[in-house]
Every structure is written in C-alpha cells, then in structure tokens.
C-alpha cells in the first residue's frame, strides 16, 4: 500500500531516513486516525491528495463468510462498471434478449 500512497500524494519512497529531502515529500490535505467498533480498531485516512484516483472500501461483517461475500459482490460491481466504460453496449437480462428475438422473428 505504500506504493499507492506515494502515487496518490506525489511523494517518493525513500529507503533510508538520511535520503529524505523536501522534493521527495508528498502532499495531502488531511491525515487523521479514526477508531471505530467495539474493539476500537483504528484506521488512518489520508484525504485531499494531489494525484488521488483511488478509494478504499472498508467492509465489516459478523463473520468471515459475510465479509468474503461482500468483497465478491463489490468486485463484481466494479468489474461490471469497468466493462461498461470499455464498451457501453449491453445485453439486458430477465429474458429480454429472448423476447427481442421472438419479436424479430414474428
């Protein structure tokens, strides 16, 4: 995730602290840590980055099966949107293709 953070903020990854210079620093509007839930889990939010085209979807559930199903559903939805952006032609579901074919045959 550090690579994505570097891209979003415009910063560079520096292996040693001695190599850190001002031109390698990135920029972000707000950095905050939020605790949530009954276990007081913590998550860091880095907002208003200069080159950000990414988002993070945070999923919580009662058990691992629900979380995995939610992840699969979100992945399917994102892939569907990606495919529509690449090619906006679609075939409608619910038997509409069959009905269209039967109308064309009549």
């Amino acid at each position: 995730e550090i690579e994505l953070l570097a891209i979003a903020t415009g910063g560079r990854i520096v292996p040693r602290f001695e190599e850190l210079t001002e031109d390698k620093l990135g920029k972000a509007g707000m950095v905050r840590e939020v605790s949530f839930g009954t276990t007081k889990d913590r998550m860091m939010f880095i907002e208003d980055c200069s080159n950000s085209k990414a988002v993070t979807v945070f999923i919580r559930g009662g058990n691992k099966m629900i979380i995995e199903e939610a992840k699969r559903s979100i992945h399917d939805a994102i892939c569907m949107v990606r495919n529509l952006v690449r090619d906006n032609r679609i075939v409608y579901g619910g038997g509409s293709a069959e009905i269209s074919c039967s109308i064309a045959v009549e």
Side-chain angles (χ1 to χ4, degrees):
E1 294 180 7
I2 194 165
E3 291 89 3
L4 297 174
L5 184 59
I7 292 169
T9 60
R12 307 242 337 174
I13 299 172
V14 180
R16 287 178 278 298
F17 189 74
E18 296 81 28
E19 297 177 15
L20 186 63
T21 59
E22 187 174 341
D23 63 316
K24 294 179 182 174
L25 295 177
K27 291 187 171 79
M30 180 188 297
V31 178
R32 60 189 170 103
E33 185 177 69
V34 177
S35 61
F36 51 89
T38 56
T39 59
K40 296 297 179 198
D41 294 327
R42 296 183 314 206
M43 178 176 255
M44 185 169 290
F45 289 88
I46 302 168
E47 301 172 338
D48 301 325
C49 297
S50 60
N51 193 26
S52 178
K53 294 180 183 176
V55 296
T56 299
V57 178
F58 181 65
I59 302 171
R60 294 187 66 183
N63 58 36
K64 292 222 183 258
M65 185 178 77
I66 290 176
I67 292 170
E68 292 301 318
E69 185 62 32
K71 284 168 53 176
R72 279 191 295 274
S73 296
I74 290 171
H75 180 265
D76 290 346
I78 290 171
C79 288
M80 188 248 347
V81 170
R82 180 203 61 206
N83 291 339
L84 280 174
V85 168
R86 288 181 180 169
D87 182 3
N88 62 359
R89 297 176 293 172
I90 59 173
V91 176
Y92 297 100
S96 62
E98 291 82 0
I99 292 171
S100 295
C101 289
S102 74
I103 290 171
V105 170
E106 290 178 352

